[in-house]
Amino acid sequence: MASNFIPNLSDFSFSLLLVLAMAPFLAQSSELKETQLVLYFQDNVSAGPNATSLPVAGFARKLWTFTQIGTVYVTDDPLTAGPEPNSASIGRGQGIAVVAALNGRNALVLLSLVFTNQEYNGSTLELQGNSKQFEQVTEVAAVSGIGKFRFARGYATFETYLVEPATSYSVERCNVTVQHY
């Protein structure tokens, strides 16, 4: 009895579809750009009307602080071009930080850099990682982006520029290096 060989067209169709879906990405691969940014987070952790970072959750009967494991902070900090509060506005640093170490020294940071300045308006960069809270310089990953930072990957470092303990105001310098299309 003769066997009838009929190729499985669904496997071929899937392979063709996969190649066609990758074609635009492969065509863009030579257009990879690198961008370096320096911006400043104007952070106010007070409980007053000017607060930009607030603890919103934590363990019952424990003080919600940046050194208490389980404390969750929500942040909406102004981003500026310089360290002064009246420097040119770049956008907002919006996200959450969760104290994630028993000794209170590390926080999981999930942060969106939402740009509103003319050059990057409508674009965002997504940062995430383990922030070692008491190190002079901390580093997190830049894992994604949209707009001018589409397919971004890279890193960001944070260093404290100014702390005013009496008012709970601080300025954090953020250096971002990303590659994107």
Side-chain angles (χ1 to χ4, degrees), residues 91-132:
R92 307 292 293 188
Q94 300 172 331
I96 62 173
V98 180
V99 181
L102 287 171
N103 65 5
R105 299 188 64 80
N106 298 334
L108 170 64
V109 176
L110 305 168
L111 192 59
S112 296
L113 305 182
V114 181
F115 294 94
T116 57
N117 64 334
Q118 190 171 5
E119 185 175 2
Y120 300 116
N121 189 28
S123 300
T124 66
L125 279 171
E126 302 302 321
L127 308 179
Q128 76 175 41
N130 181 26
S131 177
K132 298 177 187 302

Side-chain angles (χ1 to χ4, degrees), residues 14-135:
F14 178 74
S15 298
L16 180 61
L17 182 62
L18 186 60
V19 168
L20 290 175
M22 293 296 293
F25 176 73
L26 295 173
Q28 288 182 348
S29 64
S30 63
E31 300 173 28
L32 193 61
K33 298 175 240 172
E34 182 172 291
T35 299
Q36 295 181 347
L37 302 168
V38 176
L39 40 101
Y40 294 84
F41 283 72
Q42 305 290 331
D43 191 45
N44 189 342
V45 190
S46 70
N50 296 325
T52 61
S53 291
L54 293 169
V56 295
F59 288 111
R61 295 181 297 282
K62 295 276 185 174
L63 189 59
W64 294 356
T65 69
F66 65 92
T67 59
Q68 176 60 48
I69 188 170
T71 302
V72 179
Y73 279 84
V74 175
T75 299
D76 185 11
D77 286 343
L79 300 177
T80 59
E84 299 80 19
N86 59 352
S87 294
S89 176
I90 293 175
R92 307 292 293 188
Q94 300 172 331
I96 62 173
V98 180
V99 181
L102 287 171
N103 65 5
R105 299 188 64 80
N106 298 334
L108 170 64
V109 176
L110 305 168
L111 192 59
S112 296
L113 305 182
V114 181
F115 294 94
T116 57
N117 64 334
Q118 190 171 5
E119 185 175 2
Y120 300 116
N121 189 28
S123 300
T124 66
L125 279 171
E126 302 302 321
L127 308 179
Q128 76 175 41
N130 181 26
S131 177
K132 298 177 187 302
Q133 298 193 91
F134 299 102
E135 298 289 324

Side-chain angles (χ1 to χ4, degrees), residues 146-168:
I146 61 168
K148 293 203 176 184
F149 298 113
R150 189 167 288 136
F151 291 113
R153 64 179 185 265
Y155 66 95
T157 61
F158 289 88
E159 54 191 297
T160 302
Y161 181 84
L162 170 75
V163 176
E164 294 178 357
T167 60
S168 299

